[in-house]
Amino acid sequence: MPTCRLLWWGGLAAATGGAVLCVIGWYGVSGERFAERQIPYLASCTMPGAALLVAGAVLVAAAWRAAGVRGEAEAGPEESSPFRDVPAWDAPSSDEPPLCVPGGTLAHRPDCPLVAGKPEAEPVGDRELGPCPVCEPRV
């Protein structure tokens, strides 16, 4: 899935940028004897670098979670990818047609948490609706 790869590579780029900023900040701090001259390096490099490291970790974790839920259809067994062992989630969850809520603009799988258990949910029929970003039905 493109979303998984975007999250994966975005997370790696953010973490790499954060590591570079932390190293630059550390180098600047180590060259200054007095604390008041170290603060600019902490504020301009080390703290943003740490924030980028955390953001990168969150994006990589989101990629792993998304791959665990949806699978990675493009990755073949010979391809070196963290998603290669996860089965694809392209098969429909049931034989029932996609559902929507009255006045809604998205089509959902019958087991989607956004429509599951809602008595007002009805089959999509001939309506032109976009796919739900949570369950990604084939409409």
Side-chain angles (χ1 to χ4, degrees), residues 3-60:
T3 304
C4 294
R5 290 180 188 231
L6 180 65
L7 289 172
W8 174 256
W9 288 110
L12 288 179
T16 302
V20 168
L21 281 176
C22 285
V23 168
I24 292 171
W26 171 81
Y27 184 75
V29 166
S30 69
E32 298 294 338
R33 180 174 179 186
F34 300 107
E36 59 270 3
R37 296 190 71 189
Q38 295 173 353
I39 291 174
Y41 292 105
L42 292 173
S44 65
C45 289
T46 307
M47 292 175 72
L52 277 174
L53 280 172
V54 170
V58 168
L59 288 173
V60 168

Side-chain angles (χ1 to χ4, degrees), residues 1 70 89-94 96-100 106-116 121 124 131-132 134-138:
M1 299 283 162
R70 285 192 285 274
W89 192 54
D90 288 334
S93 56
S94 72
E96 298 176 30
L99 300 175
C100 67
L106 300 175
H108 304 270
R109 291 184 184 206
D111 63 343
C112 179
L114 300 176
V115 296
V124 171
C132 170
V134 175
C135 64
E136 295 181 347
R138 292 186 180 187

Side-chain angles (χ1 to χ4, degrees), residues 71-124:
E72 186 68 21
E74 294 89 17
E78 69 282 338
E79 186 178 338
S80 177
S81 168
F83 312 112
R84 70 179 178 274
D85 296 329
V86 180
W89 192 54
D90 288 334
S93 56
S94 72
D95 293 332
E96 298 176 30
L99 300 175
C100 67
V101 293
T105 59
L106 300 175
H108 304 270
R109 291 184 184 206
D111 63 343
C112 179
L114 300 176
V115 296
K118 291 190 177 180
E120 65 269 11
E122 56 192 26
V124 171

